[in-house]
Amino acid sequence: MSEARPAGAAPTVLRRVLGKRLRHLRERAKVSFEEAAKAIEVTPLTVRRMEKAEVGLKIPYLKELLRNYGVRGPEMEDFLALAREANQPGWWHQFRDVLPDWFSVYVSLESEATVIRAYEPHYVPGLLQTEDYARAVLRMGFPSDTEEELERRIALRVKRQSLLTKSDAPTIWAILDETVLHRPVGGSRVMRDQIDHLIDTLDIPKVRLQIMRFAAGPHPGAFGPFHYFRFGFSELPDVVYTESLTGAVYVDKPAEVVAYLEVLDRMAVQAEPIGDSSTILAELRKEH
């Protein structure tokens, strides 16, 4: 379902996956919420919240639940090992002073995705930004930040970019509106460096970039930017992220996600071919 993120601790992707597995194990064992709650001396609501990843997964509770669900031996040990990992704060927790909860969910999804597709009509996607470009964008977005806070936000963005060089890096497929490459963010030098960086990223095997030219006319994604995530966990559905001025919406209802995916596919056909991106970027660089 579509979900506006409230304040509070954001669960990691792995905790969401384990919550769904825990529900599956309970249903497989034909154990009710009430029976599961009685086994660990909590309320049925607490069991529900564990399955929805709304609370941490306490190891003593898990052991007793798994026993009641008929889980033993290596299967139990594997589950508990993953639970211990899931209970550790994500690396982004160190940036919690400048990271709103609604965006920490995004960073968690980004970190675990196997495919990230995006349409960006305003700015270069954060994963592909240079440090100077990021500085200009963030200074505009957070005008009341101190220099220290601004540098913390930049450090977070740079840290996120390490995703691109992981051995199991996700496929990144972004469609940029031509406007992004005309808008002078940070001045001419910053833009030239940013476009050079985009050209360089095309050498990364799992990075795909397309340009939606003005000449393409109206297109189905013109309503605004959005990002699509696919994961390697069968328990986790595809998710679409859209952002507003003060928060974000995470969409995982299948019919809605499919609508976004169809728009991305139609836009990929309408945009310039991936193989032409380097030439187009070099051409647009001359304007700055």
Side-chain angles (χ1 to χ4, degrees), residues 18-281:
L18 289 178
K20 289 180 180 291
R21 289 184 184 177
L22 199 60
R23 182 183 68 187
H24 170 73
L25 291 170
R26 179 181 56 77
E27 292 175 345
R28 186 183 70 179
K30 295 182 170 53
V31 174
S32 69
F33 281 117
E34 290 72 19
E35 290 168 334
K38 185 177 180 180
I40 57 175
E41 299 183 357
V42 297
T43 66
L45 177 60
T46 298
V47 177
R48 289 178 185 272
R49 295 186 69 196
M50 290 173 69
E51 293 182 2
K52 291 182 178 180
E54 294 176 349
V55 294
L57 299 173
K58 295 182 179 180
I59 301 301
Y61 285 179
L62 286 179
K63 286 182 178 179
E64 192 58 36
L65 286 177
L66 292 173
R67 289 192 190 99
N68 276 267
Y69 300 162
V71 178
R72 300 286 191 277
E75 186 182 4
M76 175 186 282
E77 290 308 314
D78 288 347
F79 193 104
L80 295 176
L82 287 175
R84 292 185 183 96
E85 181 181 343
N87 284 335
Q88 296 300 313
W91 63 261
W92 52 91
H93 186 71
Q94 63 186 296
F95 293 98
R96 61 190 181 279
D97 55 321
V98 292
L99 182 62
D101 180 66
W102 57 264
F103 194 67
S104 69
V105 177
Y106 178 96
V107 178
S108 175
L109 296 175
E110 181 181 74
S111 297
E112 296 291 344
T114 57
V115 176
I116 302 172
R117 296 181 65 179
Y119 168 59
E120 283 288 354
H122 304 308
Y123 299 106
V124 171
L127 288 177
L128 305 179
Q129 291 178 5
T130 65
E131 192 170 320
D132 286 340
Y133 185 98
R135 180 174 286 104
V137 171
L138 291 168
R139 181 174 284 121
M140 179 278 301
F142 299 93
S144 60
D145 268 8
T146 64
E147 283 301 311
E148 181 180 359
E149 289 169 333
L150 179 63
E151 291 304 314
R152 290 279 291 158
R153 294 188 195 278
I154 295 167
L156 168 61
R157 187 152 301 185
V158 170
K159 176 70 173 176
R160 285 171 50 208
Q161 293 173 358
S162 63
L163 185 68
L164 299 177
T165 54
K166 286 172 53 179
S167 59
D168 58 345
T171 294
I172 310 291
W173 185 355
I175 299 175
L176 302 188
D177 195 280
E178 187 176 348
T179 305
V180 172
L181 303 166
H182 286 284
R183 180 173 285 114
V185 175
S188 295
R189 181 191 61 79
V190 171
M191 283 304 299
R192 287 195 299 270
D193 288 348
Q194 176 61 71
I195 293 175
D196 284 342
H197 180 65
L198 288 176
I199 293 172
D200 290 341
T201 61
L202 295 176
D203 292 331
I204 300 175
K206 290 190 173 182
V207 173
R208 303 171 186 172
L209 190 62
Q210 288 183 270
I211 312 299
M212 182 67 76
R213 288 288 213 173
F214 293 142
H219 59 79
F223 54 86
F226 61 96
H227 291 212
Y228 160 92
F229 300 94
R230 175 168 289 172
F231 306 91
F233 302 104
S234 61
E235 297 89 350
L236 201 63
D238 297 350
V239 176
V240 171
Y241 164 91
T242 63
E243 189 173 311
S244 67
L245 184 63
T246 57
V249 173
Y250 294 84
V251 178
D252 63 8
K253 184 181 292 186
E256 295 181 20
V257 171
V258 166
Y260 280 97
L261 190 56
E262 288 177 349
V263 164
L264 281 170
D265 288 341
R266 290 166 59 194
M267 290 176 67
V269 173
Q270 192 172 349
E272 298 301 309
I274 292 172
D276 292 348
S277 295
S278 182
T279 301
I280 295 170
L281 288 168

